[in-house]
Amino acid sequence: MKRLAPLFAASLLTFGVQAQANEDLRFDPEAMAWLCAPCHGTQGRELYESMPALAGLDPEFFTQTMLDYREGRRATTIMDRVARGFSDAEIKAMALWFAEQPAEQWNPEELNHAQ
Amino acid sequence: MPNNSTILSRRELLKSAGLGALALSGIFGASHRAYAKNAQHVVVIGGGIGGATFAKYMRFADADVKITVIEPNKEYITCLRTNDVMVDLHTLDELTFSYDTLRNNYGIQFLFDSVSDVDFDKKQVRTKQGEKLSYDKLVVSPGIDFRFEDYEGLSAEIANTQLPHAYKAGPQTLLLRDQVQSMPQGGVFVMSPPAGEFRCPPGPYERASMFAEWMQRHNPTGKILILDPKNTHSKYGPFRKGWERLYGFGTDNSMIDWLALDEGGKVTQVDPKRKLVKTENGTEIKYDACNVIPNQRAGKIAQHLGLTDASEWCPVNRNTFESEIHQHVYVLGDSTIADAMPKSGNAANTQAKVAAKAIAAELKGETPGNAIFSNVCFSLVGSRYGISISAIYEVRDGLIKPKGQSAGVSPIVDSPAQAALEAVYQKNWHRTFVKDVFG
């Protein structure tokens, strides 16, 4: 784990979520991310639709896009309303969760090999 | 291994926020192909949107638990998009889904049977075919039941044969389609939406819209009369603006007329022989086709198991969806009392995910985290005109309430792009949503 320390520190700096970033993160990031699945696919991995996949997105891009929706800086039909349900810290936590997911179409058959 | 390192670093970050254990839960290390004999058992009654989503996400939340779904039907037809079937935009086959993926890939067992009783002390479910299943946690996702008795002259039998509610997908969907499509030119289609809490609050108004579009082409002098036991309804503003734009709503030539409760809209009696309905103030209204969608209550199995209270809906702990009446029993979806959350498929889907996380935590002896839910619901006012309602929800003061400023309906704007895009997203949502439930 020691070798990971520099990367860990780097990601903290990148997102400006230093120690107190957990401020009021009242929700499990995965529980928040699961709410996106009806439109964006299981684990955000629906690649063949106009509502875009979220899996594997650059977390800075995800965060900035959500903030732009929330603050009315980006045209949309529904995402402004959705984004207004989340705090900065919650958006960042979802960004990091989706960044972990493979940017591949969700395929339940992969579960069979997940021993 | 750069990718792995990056992933781990992010996990470390989450761990630093005290959420490591939760963030790491998931499919990794799944061993569901061979359960230990002492595996804990979660039994699910009902394989609809709530039950199927729950089973899938229970597997995500716990790789080792044994999951059994008890469901009478081998396939599920979504009520979602049946309004499209009535105007030939979809077939029921396209809305029919099997449980094969949940069974084969998620290691979920299915018992195609009905529940006769539950012994809550012994934690045992008995089925009509005589099976006995012991459970550690029981999840009930029972859907809705209809209050036919609120309308003189109406019964389940009459709904099946003459006056289809078409509010559960199946033969009644096709019966109503045929009745409206075979109306004489200039005929009147009378609709009566429910009062109180009911499944899919915008559903009746979308149905009126879709038939209006169909009639513009096939029965242009026909009329749709909505007799409403309410003075307002879901997506009221966006529906009205859409009806004005597409169907002349508010003019003498409107294809859709809407009579509110205060204007005498409440239907109290039906007479299919004379083809008329009677309203509260005694007015008789003749129809050529008619759709009474009755008032509703929790599904029959919820009533039978004593999971309902005096309201005829199921009270639950809002943070876990555990029944307030029976311990270790959880209720999901349309049957529950969920405060600001509507009775929608999307709502049931996110309630199921909350319950899966809560049950996984409790089976491990941990305390469930805070619940968070969402609802996104698109309706069509025309096949190329969509509208939506959405919100994120959390629990405050013991009730489910919209979180932040997230609750709202589509803005009414001059640009035609909003409605055009929401019609695209509506189709997109259904395709993706059913994959999240059954795939």
Side-chain angles (χ1 to χ4, degrees):
Chain A
M1 297 297 271
K2 262 184 192 165
R3 283 186 304 156
L4 298 174
L7 261 169
F8 177 37
S11 67
L12 283 178
L13 285 173
T14 309
F15 302 112
V17 280
Q18 275 129 34
Q20 104 258 62
N22 30 355
E23 5 148 355
D24 38 20
L25 199 50
R26 292 184 293 125
F27 303 100
D28 171 3
E30 184 171 82
M32 291 191 285
W34 281 0
L35 304 181
C36 310
C39 294
H40 298 279
T42 296
Q43 300 187 349
R45 292 172 58 184
E46 178 51 64
L47 272 62
Y48 295 93
E49 293 283 2
S50 51
M51 288 158 148
L54 304 176
L57 283 184
D58 175 76
E60 270 188 284
F61 170 77
F62 180 101
T63 301
Q64 195 54 51
T65 305
M66 284 289 280
L67 293 175
D68 286 346
Y69 282 140
R70 193 184 70 190
E71 304 307 325
R73 294 189 294 254
R74 183 175 168 132
T76 180
T77 54
I78 194 168
M79 280 307 299
D80 51 344
R81 288 175 265 157
V82 173
R84 286 199 293 269
F86 296 102
S87 72
D88 288 10
E90 288 161 358
I91 288 170
K92 282 171 187 163
M94 283 190 283
L96 293 172
W97 191 88
F98 280 116
E100 279 188 29
Q101 313 308 317
E104 294 161 14
Q105 178 62 34
W106 171 249
N107 176 7
E109 285 183 14
E110 66 194 63
L111 291 169
N112 302 358
H113 310 289
Q115 283 282 22
Chain B
M1 302 287 287
N3 286 340
N4 277 347
S5 303
T6 312
I7 287 168
L8 281 171
S9 72
R10 288 179 182 134
R11 291 213 182 117
E12 284 298 307
L13 179 67
L14 294 170
K15 209 172 266 177
S16 77
L19 292 160
L22 293 166
L24 284 167
S25 70
I27 60 170
F28 309 104
S31 59
H32 56 262
R33 279 182 286 181
Y35 301 101
K37 274 189 181 155
N38 58 356
Q40 289 170 300
H41 193 194
V42 179
V43 173
V44 185
I45 301 176
I49 301 293
T53 305
F54 171 83
K56 169 172 167 171
Y57 277 80
M58 189 67 229
R59 174 60 67 230
F60 282 157
D62 189 327
D64 299 314
V65 73
K66 185 177 166 189
I67 305 167
T68 305
V69 178
I70 306 172
E71 158 63 44
N73 302 306
K74 293 203 166 158
E75 289 178 321
Y76 183 79
I77 311 173
T78 69
C79 208
L80 308 157
R81 304 290 10 110
T82 48
N83 286 339
D84 292 1
V85 173
M86 295 180 213
V87 294
D88 309 319
L89 292 176
H90 270 308
T91 63
L92 277 185
D93 279 353
E94 290 169 329
L95 306 182
T96 303
F97 299 89
S98 88
Y99 298 108
D100 291 351
T101 301
L102 292 177
R103 193 160 43 184
N104 299 336
N105 302 108
Y106 292 86
I108 294 159
Q109 303 190 2
F110 278 79
L111 187 59
F112 294 108
D113 197 348
S114 300
V115 168
S116 58
D117 249 310
V118 174
D119 185 326
F120 294 107
D121 294 325
K122 285 189 188 159
K123 295 171 86 174
Q124 194 176 69
V125 179
R126 285 194 302 272
T127 70
K128 293 203 170 139
Q129 289 170 31
E131 297 279 341
K132 285 184 185 174
L133 288 85
S134 294
Y135 64 84
D136 294 283
K137 299 284 185 184
L138 177 66
V139 176
V140 188
S141 190
I144 52 157
D145 183 36
F146 297 102
R147 292 182 51 92
F148 294 110
E149 68 272 25
D150 289 355
Y151 311 81
E152 201 182 327
L154 191 59
S155 65
E157 168 65 17
I158 285 175
N160 273 329
T161 52
Q162 297 176 71
L163 276 175
H165 53 69
Y167 228 58
K168 287 185 179 180
Q172 288 196 23
T173 310
L174 305 179
L175 179 59
L176 183 61
R177 174 195 68 185
D178 295 345
Q179 288 179 347
V180 177
Q181 292 197 6
S182 60
M183 283 200 310
Q185 290 296 308
V188 177
F189 171 43
V190 168
M191 281 188 74
S192 167
E197 296 282 317
F198 62 98
R199 158 180 288 181
C200 188
Y205 310 95
E206 180 189 70
R207 182 174 290 178
S209 307
M210 299 311 283
F211 275 127
E213 186 178 72
W214 185 91
M215 284 164 59
Q216 275 185 330
R217 290 193 306 268
H218 303 285
N219 192 348
T221 53
K223 294 279 181 205
I224 298 171
L225 174 59
I226 304 172
L227 299 172
D228 211 320
K230 305 181 293 299
N231 285 320
T232 186
H233 60 74
S234 178
K235 303 179 187 168
Y236 185 86
F239 266 118
R240 263 151 189 73
K241 181 52 80 175
W243 290 348
E244 283 171 24
R245 286 171 171 167
L246 301 176
Y247 312 119
F249 187 73
T251 69
D252 291 344
N253 270 335
S254 181
M255 184 157 261
I256 299 175
D257 279 321
W258 182 72
L259 224 57
L261 171 67
D262 289 349
E263 299 165 317
K266 184 176 175 183
V267 170
T268 54
Q269 199 177 334
V270 299
D271 186 344
K273 274 196 194 125
R274 294 166 61 207
K275 286 196 150 192
L276 57 84
V277 298
K278 209 167 172 177
T279 61
E280 197 174 30
N281 61 20
T283 310
E284 291 188 343
I285 296 164
K286 288 279 291 174
Y287 64 76
D288 296 287
C290 181
N291 179 210
V292 175
I293 305 167
N295 298 336
Q296 297 166 22
R297 61 185 155 219
K300 283 200 173 75
I301 189 71
Q303 300 169 47
H304 176 67
L305 297 179
L307 294 167
T308 50
D309 67 13
S311 71
E312 298 193 298
W313 300 105
C314 302
V316 292
N317 174 329
R318 310 302 200 268
N319 207 48
T320 59
F321 275 63
E322 184 171 12
S323 166
E324 287 186 342
I325 297 171
H326 289 291
Q327 214 186 353
H328 305 298
V329 180
Y330 297 71
V331 190
L332 301 175
D334 293 345
S335 272
T336 60
I337 299 170
D339 313 315
M341 282 191 97
K343 299 190 184 304
S344 75
N346 198 134
N349 170 280
T350 67
Q351 291 164 5
K353 291 168 182 174
V354 164
K357 284 256 180 203
I359 289 173
E362 283 168 4
L363 289 177
K364 293 184 181 93
E366 296 163 4
T367 306
N370 293 320
I372 184 163
F373 312 90
S374 69
N375 181 54
V376 167
C377 161
F378 293 96
S379 303
L380 293 180
V381 185
S383 50
R384 294 185 179 186
Y385 190 113
I387 59 178
S388 65
I389 187 166
S390 61
I392 308 298
Y393 299 93
E394 64 184 342
V395 182
R396 291 199 309 277
D397 310 320
L399 298 176
I400 298 176
K401 297 180 180 179
K403 185 172 181 297
Q405 301 298 309
S406 61
V409 297
S410 308
I412 292 168
V413 293
D414 290 335
S415 163
Q418 169 87 23
L421 281 169
E422 292 210 298
V424 171
Y425 293 148
Q426 185 265 352
K427 301 284 181 212
N428 181 156
W429 175 87
H430 185 260
R431 288 189 298 263
T432 302
F433 179 71
V434 293
K435 282 197 216 173
D436 191 44
V437 177
F438 298 105

